[in-house]
Amino acid sequence: SPMHESIQQAAEWIAASKHLVVLTGAGVSKESGVPTFRDALDGLWARYDPQQLATAEAFRRDPKLVWDWYEYRRGLVRAADPNPGHAALAALEALRPLVIVTQNVDDLHQRAGSKDILALHGAIMRSKCFATCRGEPTVIDVAALPAFDPADGPPRCPYCGAWVRPDVVWYGETLPAGALQRAAELASAADVMLVVGTSGVVQPAASLPYLARQAGARLIEVNPRPSEITRAAHLWLEGPSGEILPQVVARVQERLR
Ligand code: OAD
């Protein structure tokens, strides 16, 4: 079948790669039960638009609302387990030199056992001072703070009293220092880039596949739906990453035996 042939072709390129970069987005965690950003939000949060909650202005206006939303998302991540897509990428790291560049703020790649991960958008489980009182980022261990009443909103920074916020990149904010530069260097040096579960609409991450392709990399996309990356991809493996990636990695393994 055409899909079988595409998977074989992808495995051939990956098995021969020397600088493999895997760019992941929310889609890779979808089968773990973590909603993507373009999914309608569930239940309580159905009437909110993530793009209006994930900003510094929203947090300034209503810190409790934004903190509660992240508390809800942290709950989803805590309850989630890595899926076969995450596991396949962790297994692939033992077969080929690779770096995962992820837009995800969950910790599912880490928990699946991947080691070389560049997190472009921060980490939802980590918190920091909103006022950056001791430099960027001023990481705060919320679990170590004296109990606070969640009805009062987020906790306060123990150093300066400002609000504590999640250590994630919000709309309008720049990426962590050095992260984007390293990602761009990796993309430019890649011979194969595997793009998994991203809509390709949020910059600057969305430009990385184009950078890689321009520098001569083979571009392989895994996504059940077309994205902003699809037209640039040499191969589009149309389907959920939890089903496609294990097949690809099994073929890579066969080729390297
Ligand atoms: P999006 O929510 O924009 O896109 C999710 C993508 O995953 C879509 O293209 C879906 O078709 C695809 N998808 C859905 N189910 C899938 C599955 N089972 N397997 C593979 N793919 C699947 O998520 P991102 O592209 O990651 O930024 O969004 C980029 C950034 O926008 C996020 O990092 C976040 C958001 O605003 C920040 O938090 C700064």
Side-chain angles (χ1 to χ4, degrees):
S1 71
M3 181 51 113
H4 181 77
E5 273 169 37
S6 296
I7 286 174
Q8 288 289 2
Q9 178 63 265
E12 191 179 308
W13 288 342
I14 290 169
S17 68
K18 294 196 167 54
H19 301 281
L20 174 61
V21 174
V22 183
L23 175 67
T24 66
V28 77
S29 297
K30 165 112 173 167
E31 289 152 273
S32 293
V34 181
T36 70
F37 291 86
R38 304 322 126 182
D39 283 338
L41 296 181
D42 299 330
L44 211 57
W45 295 99
R47 64 199 178 86
Y48 295 100
D49 177 354
Q51 305 196 28
Q52 259 122 53
L53 291 169
T55 69
E57 297 75 61
F59 186 72
R60 233 174 254 121
R61 197 183 320 122
D62 196 342
K64 180 169 156 45
L65 175 74
V66 173
W67 182 262
D68 286 352
W69 185 57
Y70 278 96
E71 198 51 45
Y72 161 74
R73 291 190 66 89
R74 281 189 288 263
L76 293 176
V77 170
R78 261 186 226 109
D81 290 313
N83 67 57
H86 297 106
L89 292 176
L92 188 56
E93 199 170 355
L95 301 175
R96 299 315 303 153
L98 77 84
V99 182
I100 295 181
V101 177
T102 188
Q103 300 166 82
N104 297 346
V105 296
D106 65 45
D107 53 3
L108 295 175
H109 284 306
Q110 285 87 342
R111 278 157 56 194
S114 286
K115 294 282 178 269
D116 203 349
I117 304 165
L118 180 58
L120 292 179
H121 293 164
I124 197 170
M125 294 304 182
R126 206 167 52 218
S127 300
K128 64 180 181 182
C129 171
F130 187 46
T132 318
C133 68
R134 297 198 168 181
E136 175 60 34
T138 303
V139 173
I140 309 292
D141 181 1
V142 171
L145 296 177
F148 64 97
D149 184 351
D152 293 341
R156 295 284 186 169
C157 172
Y159 308 121
C160 74
W163 295 118
V164 169
R165 58 163 282 182
D167 188 6
V168 299
V169 176
W170 280 335
Y171 289 97
E173 294 184 326
T174 52
L175 272 53
L180 180 61
Q181 195 193 330
R182 176 155 185 247
E185 283 165 10
L186 287 166
S188 309
D191 49 9
V192 178
M193 183 182 271
L194 181 59
V195 182
V196 186
T198 181
S199 57
V201 297
V202 174
Q203 295 293 353
S207 66
L208 295 171
Y210 288 87
L211 196 57
R213 167 136 192 174
Q214 222 158 29
R218 296 286 192 183
L219 216 57
I220 306 166
E221 180 178 39
V222 179
N223 199 312
R225 289 211 291 271
S227 75
E228 292 302 312
I229 311 299
T230 311
R231 64 194 142 87
H234 295 99
L235 269 182
W236 173 27
L237 307 180
E238 186 179 353
S241 47
E243 290 171 26
I244 302 282
L245 289 175
Q247 297 180 53
V248 172
V249 173
R251 299 294 180 287
V252 173
Q253 204 150 20
E254 280 165 16
R255 285 180 169 275
L256 292 173
R257 249 206 297 270

